Amino acid sequence: MADTTRRSLLGMAGFTTAAVAVGGAGLLKGNNSTDQKPVAADILEGAGEPTSTHLTPFKDPLRIPPTLRLRGDDITEIDLVGARVRLHSQMPSTRMWTYAGHFPGPTLEVRSGQKARVAWNNKLTGTTPVKAVWVHPEGPGPGLLPYNRPGSEGGFARPEVDALTAWTTVHVHGGHQNALSDGAAEYGVTAGDGQLAEYANDQEAAHLFYHDHAMSVTSLNVAAGLIGNYVVRDKEEARLDLPRGDHEIPLTLQDVNFETDAKGRLTGQILVKRIIGGPDAPMPGAIPPALATLNPFTMVNGVVWPYLDVEARAYRLRLVNVSGARVYRLAVVDDETGKLVRGAMKLVGTDLGLLGRPQTIAETLSLSPAERADVVIDFASFAGRRLKLVNTIEGQPAGAALPDFMVPFPEVMQFRVENRRRAAYSVPTTLSSTFRKITAADVPQGATERFVVLSFDRTGAMPQLWEMREVAADTAPGSGIVKIDMPGGTRTLRRTGTMFEDTTTFFAASGTWEKWHFVSVAPAGVPIYHPMHIHLMNFQVVDRRTVDGSGMDFAAGRTTKPITLGATVPVAPEESGWKDTITVNANTLVTVAGRLARQTGKVMYHCHILDHEDEGMMRPFVIMPPAVHGIHDMLMGMNGDMGMSAKASGHSGMKM
């Protein structure tokens, strides 16, 4: 092994040069667009004290995180440190927890097939910079209107959050790494300790991201600033004539709220506001059922409503939604006329890599938390104009404020196009020669089949994840027994776990095919959604249906009649490629299929609404080498349980 080289990124936030050597090894590079410099946390000027009750859209330039290229023969050391970051020039700077002083953290870039090792050093001190409060509902049920406004509004303090110190574990989302390096939720480290991780990067070109994944506090740690981009490059992508260098820009979307002072002025402190029922404050020492957090403002790369000066040419925009719960439905609008610009976005890739061919986004592109979209916009025909990216709701005017739909401020960011006219760009007609859209018929017969029911607890107040195991059709009805009519007949399932701490029941063989059915059953009129993420599995959507779950008795935790399947629901272009996260809407079934990575160990699957994850919608599963999995099956049988370890023997030559 080559000598270990320390490459610390601590203290690099102030650099604005195009390339800065770090400790003599590696390169820190800002992706500069024309007349657009990387904007570091201490460069964006602004107020030193609260002065504004409102923020002006498109006042500040987009901050572009520095890029660090990881090298396989080194251990790159990245320090988790506190920093003050300017999120908008009309607010004081914000105290945050960061990777290497940057928010978002440095973009880590790797070559496909080249291992990388990173030491994540927790050097955070003090308590969390995030303020958290409970507030009462307001407006029509379920009373979400407080989410539209900044400020804690006299909400109830959360002393358990105020006392929170840094406990962290870093997960490369969508990456292939053994469980020891996967950022397992229970493997957090405290200040003064580090997490040494090895990333295989045995994947095709893809836009991944890294974030904190610590048990019970993921949502708070991510809100505090612990997120960053992770990009895998390969030769096939390099041969394409896609925009690159200064014309390839990561866009990290995250909703945020801020505390206000006694005069209603924004202080810059990040605020997490959650709505609870009932007239009284929560009991001391108890966490009540609460609605997942939505926030009124949108940050892109850590700046609220930024602008980007662009040339009149094509740009590749690598979008990722790192919000705790908000879904973005993105549209491009002409800032002067307010009209929707149809077909401006060309989709070239999804979560885990390139599509076979580009797809034109007719009007809007949706991203749930953790989903990514690789988009090309050609600004050649918009010389001298200003376009804006906005968040909207289906059936509503793009660019309009929609407070009743929890979009009080639709602005996301603005593009300011130069006056010079340039030649138009054409996206390559073939992107990935190896991509293949799979269907249910392509899934090998021996693939392991799993069922996960997304339901509610006995009170009907809190969403729950029910891990299921198929049992005999004549199993007596009772608590935890669910029947569902599938195309091949009625399946009878027994609930085996609802919390992370319950007994592990999913065991798998590495490198084998799996087919997972996520079945969401919600009370009528509850528009809940769950972006479901499976670690160490590249998958595609092979079926999506409506379901009739009227036979679900939430209080009894069982069905009184089988769940039945309804109409097929179309798969959107941004869901049509290789994925690691998929949105499961209320009263739908989504079936995904793919092959597990070759890496092994105890990993997780969970809802990526971070409040849901923290509150229990996460379960472990164990991946073993196939031969070990076979022995495990036999040992479980010897101990009287023939079904705990599902057989996964399907193999295929299809490239994943």
Side-chain angles (χ1 to χ4, degrees):
M1 180 183 293
D3 292 341
T4 298
T5 301
R6 173 179 171 83
R7 293 188 290 160
S8 175
L9 293 177
L10 178 58
M12 302 308 295
F15 285 100
T16 57
T17 50
V20 181
V22 184
L27 191 69
L28 184 65
K29 178 177 170 59
N31 292 330
N32 301 352
S33 61
T34 298
D35 298 322
Q36 185 79 29
K37 296 185 182 300
V39 180
D42 56 350
I43 299 299
L44 187 64
E45 296 180 354
E49 298 292 335
T51 60
S52 301
T53 57
H54 297 83
L55 300 179
T56 302
F58 317 137
K59 182 176 174 60
D60 301 316
L62 179 74
R63 179 183 296 126
I64 301 175
T67 297
L68 177 68
R69 294 177 178 88
L70 303 183
R71 301 200 324 209
D73 56 353
D74 294 335
I75 294 177
T76 301
E77 299 204 23
I78 298 178
D79 294 343
L80 283 66
V81 294
R84 296 205 70 90
V85 183
R86 182 80 64 183
L87 305 181
H88 193 284
S89 59
Q90 290 173 315
M91 290 191 304
S93 61
T94 298
R95 186 169 75 90
M96 303 191 76
W97 286 350
T98 71
Y99 295 112
H102 294 274
F103 174 64
T107 297
L108 304 183
E109 187 173 299
V110 297
R111 300 297 303 176
S112 177
Q114 184 179 59
K115 286 184 179 180
R117 297 179 177 90
V118 177
W120 304 94
N121 302 314
N122 184 344
K123 295 188 176 182
L124 295 163
T125 59
T127 55
T128 178
V130 171
K131 180 175 181 178
V133 295
W134 305 114
V135 296
H136 286 318
E138 179 185 328
L144 298 178
L145 289 182
Y147 286 157
N148 284 340
R149 300 185 296 266
S152 53
E153 304 182 285
F156 303 110
R158 297 189 60 183
E160 78 280 5
V161 175
D162 296 340
L164 181 66
T165 55
W167 190 55
T168 66
T169 179
V170 183
H171 169 57
V172 173
H173 181 112
H176 290 179
Q177 51 267 340
N178 287 300
L180 288 174
S181 299
D182 194 46
E186 72 271 38
Y187 287 176
V189 298
T190 53
D193 293 322
Q195 170 192 351
L196 182 61
E198 179 179 79
Y199 304 112
N201 303 316
D202 57 351
Q203 301 164 262
E204 297 177 353
H207 177 196
L208 316 179
F209 68 106
Y210 60 96
H211 65 89
D212 187 78
H213 213 312
M215 176 79 76
S216 301
V217 292
T218 294
S219 62
L220 294 165
N221 286 355
V222 170
L226 294 178
I227 54 97
N229 292 284
Y230 191 105
V231 177
V232 182
R233 305 285 190 191
D234 70 6
K235 293 179 180 178
E236 182 178 39
E237 178 198 42
R239 287 192 292 266
L240 294 173
D241 182 29
L242 290 173
R244 64 187 68 187
D246 296 345
H247 305 102
E248 181 182 6
I249 309 289
L251 298 180
T252 305
L253 279 59
Q254 186 175 20
D255 67 342
V256 65
N257 203 350
F258 300 108
E259 180 59 301
T260 55
D261 65 10
K263 295 182 179 180
R265 299 173 301 189
L266 298 159
T267 68
Q269 183 179 28
I270 293 173
L271 175 69
V272 173
K273 184 161 47 174
R274 299 194 63 188
I275 294 171
I276 58 172
D280 302 319
M283 294 291 293
I287 292 180
L291 298 174
T293 305
L294 293 172
N295 300 296
F297 304 104
T298 293
M299 297 184 293
V300 184
N301 292 357
V303 180
V304 177
W305 305 326
Y307 70 84
L308 177 67
D309 290 322
V310 296
E311 300 173 23
R313 56 154 293 160
Y315 281 73
R316 185 181 183 186
L317 307 175
R318 313 295 294 268
L319 294 113
V320 54
N321 181 1
V322 300
S323 301
R326 180 174 294 280
V327 175
Y328 281 98
R329 190 177 184 89
L330 302 169
V332 178
V333 171
D334 187 299
D335 206 1
E336 181 178 354
T337 66
K339 292 183 178 180
L340 182 69
V341 182
R342 291 178 170 82
M345 293 184 281
K346 309 294 183 184
L347 184 73
V348 298
T350 55
D351 295 356
L352 292 173
L354 296 168
L355 297 171
R357 294 180 176 275
Q359 297 197 42
T360 298
I361 302 299
E363 295 187 359
T364 61
L365 179 148
S366 292
L367 288 179
S368 291
E371 290 188 309
R372 285 90 72 202
D374 194 349
V375 170
V376 172
I377 297 180
D378 187 6
F379 296 101
S381 59
F382 303 103
R385 294 163 66 180
R386 295 186 177 187
L387 305 180
K388 60 183 178 182
L389 195 63
V390 300
N391 184 28
T392 189
I393 299 293
E394 186 175 9
Q396 301 298 318
L402 303 167
D404 290 345
F405 296 93
M406 299 305 105
V407 185
F409 307 116
E411 296 85 358
V412 175
M413 68 175 294
Q414 182 190 64
F415 301 100
R416 300 177 178 179
V417 189
E418 66 172 353
N419 278 312
R420 177 181 174 182
R421 297 202 173 269
R422 299 175 186 260
Y425 169 83
S426 295
V427 178
T429 55
T430 298
L431 297 165
S432 172
S433 60
T434 60
F435 177 83
R436 179 183 169 192
K437 186 72 183 80
I438 64 172
T439 67
D442 297 316
V443 181
Q445 290 295 315
T448 298
E449 192 172 15
R450 304 189 192 275
F451 285 86
V452 177
V453 174
L454 308 175
S455 184
F456 284 81
D457 67 1
R458 290 180 179 275
T459 70
M462 290 297 292
Q464 275 191 339
L465 183 157
W466 295 1
E467 185 168 291
M468 311 302 293
R469 170 181 169 187
E470 190 161 11
V471 293
D474 59 356
T475 299
S479 180
I481 301 298
V482 170
K483 288 183 177 288
I484 179 169
D485 288 341
M486 297 293 288
T490 300
R491 312 289 284 273
T492 303
L493 312 170
R494 182 191 299 279
R495 184 178 60 207
T496 56
T498 61
M499 297 287 290
F500 188 86
E501 295 80 5
D502 291 337
T503 301
T504 302
T505 66
F506 278 1
F507 297 87
S510 61
T512 60
W513 276 80
E514 300 234 350
K515 182 166 66 173
W516 291 49
H517 305 287
F518 293 106
V519 187
S520 173
V521 182
V526 176
I528 198 165
Y529 54 90
H530 299 288
M532 298 303 300
H533 171 46
I534 308 173
H535 289 213
L536 295 189
M537 182 174 167
N538 297 16
F539 58 72
Q540 290 187 32
V541 180
V542 297
D543 194 15
R544 176 182 271 151
R545 310 277 188 95
T546 61
V547 301
D548 178 358
S550 58
M552 177 65 77
D553 183 338
F554 297 105
R558 53 165 292 214
T559 52
T560 58
K561 64 179 181 180
I563 297 168
T564 57
L565 305 186
T568 298
V569 178
V571 175
E574 57 268 33
E575 300 173 314
S576 64
W578 288 111
K579 302 275 293 171
D580 55 49
T581 306
I582 189 64
T583 301
V584 185
N585 289 315
N587 295 310
T588 63
L589 172 144
V590 177
T591 299
V592 301
R595 186 155 46 187
L596 294 171
R598 65 171 180 80
Q599 286 74 23
T600 58
K602 186 178 181 180
V603 294
M604 298 165 284
Y605 70 95
H606 56 88
C607 176
H608 223 283
I609 290 180
L610 299 182
D611 289 328
H612 289 180
E613 172 189 327
D614 285 339
E615 292 169 353
M617 293 193 74
M618 176 169 65
R619 287 284 292 149
F621 71 105
V622 178
I623 303 174
M624 309 173 183
V628 177
H629 182 262
I631 293 173
H632 180 262
D633 254 352
M634 290 183 278
L635 291 173
M636 294 304 293
M638 180 185 70
N639 283 283
D641 194 326
M642 299 297 294
M644 286 287 283
S645 184
K647 293 180 172 59
S649 58
H651 294 270
S652 171
M654 185 182 298
K655 191 169 183 180
M656 300 292 288

